[in-house]
Amino acid sequence: NVATLLNNMATILKSQHKYEEALSLSQRSFQIYQKTFGDDHQYTGRALNNIANLLALQKKSDEALVMFQRALSVLEKSYSNPYHPELATPINNIAQLLCAQGQSEEASLFFRRALEILEKSVGPHHPDVATTSSQLASLLFAQRKFDEALPLYQRSLTIAQQIHQQPDHPDIIALRNVVNALILLQERRRLAAVKQAHSESRVFSTISSLFKRLLRIKNRKTNRTKV
């Protein structure tokens, strides 16, 4: 299969960081798939996704985004199941690209959609679920949404522990450090909130006392005037 051979060669060139050459082969592979299987076949969609990846690696973000969206559209048409695991790939790629462009809110929606597809298609304990959970958590952390990020990091940690079963595995250590740091941050924020609440309570009490004292002075003046 010439298209498959071209795609494999493009993969090798990509690993060697020869993105321009890889892109040329990927485009040829896409043309063959498109001509052989049509616009809405899964092979065509995969080829588009490969082209988009290579464009993204060359920092051609706008072109890459268009290609990722085309790939997703083709794959959605080729699969009758809206939760087919392969759909998660272009969706996740779109999310990462939007995140890099600073479109955090939109990226979050795509990460969540990819996560939902993976949960329903490959199960809640799959490594891809851990990866996507961590990606979404990192985005939420950057948005300072720590309460939302923590359970996602914890979920990734749990899956990593089930997969590796070695407490000193680099992935487990990294995730555990992040989880512990977020728990510590939450505790510090809680203590700070309590301290602020106490401080505000003291200020309110002081203002109330001053206000009551002012009222008493006014009342005394009023009584003297009446006499």
Side-chain angles (χ1 to χ4, degrees):
N1 187 310
V2 177
T4 301
L5 178 61
L6 289 169
N7 185 62
N8 292 339
M9 291 171 62
T11 301
I12 294 172
L13 289 169
K14 177 184 173 183
S15 68
Q16 297 173 342
H17 306 289
K18 298 177 180 179
Y19 303 135
E20 283 288 352
E21 296 175 56
L23 178 60
S24 177
L25 294 181
S26 290
Q27 289 170 331
R28 286 172 60 191
S29 177
F30 160 71
Q31 290 168 357
I32 294 172
Y33 282 133
Q34 186 182 42
K35 185 175 181 179
T36 305
F37 299 103
D39 292 335
D40 298 330
H41 194 275
Q42 62 196 58
Y43 290 166
T44 306
R46 290 172 190 166
L48 284 168
N49 189 74
N50 293 338
I51 291 172
N53 270 316
L54 288 166
L55 289 169
L57 288 169
Q58 295 179 71
K59 310 299 181 184
K60 298 177 180 178
S61 301
D62 293 337
E63 294 178 58
L65 183 58
V66 171
M67 281 295 178
F68 279 135
Q69 291 168 336
R70 280 185 64 187
L72 176 58
S73 177
V74 170
L75 290 173
E76 285 176 330
K77 291 175 183 176
S78 67
Y79 293 115
S80 57
N81 178 11
Y83 295 101
H84 191 283
E86 194 166 352
L87 295 177
T89 300
I91 291 173
N92 186 286
N93 288 334
I94 290 171
Q96 291 185 61
L97 194 57
L98 290 170
C99 190
Q101 292 179 336
Q103 301 182 55
S104 300
E105 292 300 329
E106 193 172 354
S108 176
L109 295 176
F110 278 92
F111 275 133
R112 292 180 193 278
R113 185 180 170 194
L115 186 58
E116 182 184 11
I117 289 173
L118 290 170
E119 288 170 340
K120 293 186 178 182
S121 60
V122 298
H125 306 296
H126 193 276
D128 289 348
V129 172
T131 300
T132 306
S133 294
S134 290
Q135 290 171 323
L136 177 56
S138 297
L139 174 60
L140 292 169
F141 180 86
Q143 294 178 298
R144 303 184 68 81
K145 297 178 180 180
F146 305 126
D147 292 342
E148 294 181 55
L150 178 57
L152 288 166
Y153 276 129
Q154 289 173 321
R155 183 180 188 185
S156 296
L157 174 59
T158 299
I159 296 173
Q161 289 170 330
Q162 293 171 347
I163 294 170
H164 303 297
Q165 298 181 345
Q166 296 174 355
D168 59 345
H169 190 279
D171 290 351
I172 293 176
I173 292 173
L175 285 166
R176 188 189 298 121
N177 288 340
V178 171
V179 167
N180 289 338
L182 272 174
I183 291 174
L184 179 61
L185 178 62
Q186 280 190 326
E187 181 62 18
R188 287 181 175 175
R189 293 178 71 198
R190 186 188 68 80
L191 291 173
V194 170
K195 184 177 180 181
Q196 183 179 357
H198 285 318
S199 176
E200 289 176 352
S201 178
R202 288 196 298 271
V203 170
F204 180 78
S205 178
T206 301
I207 293 174
S208 296
S209 297
L210 291 172
F211 185 70
K212 290 176 181 178
R213 183 179 176 187
L214 179 61
L215 284 177
R216 285 197 298 271
I217 293 172
K218 285 188 174 182
N219 287 337
R220 282 201 300 270
K221 286 184 177 179
T222 301
N223 290 335
R224 288 173 185 170
T225 302
K226 288 181 179 179
V227 173

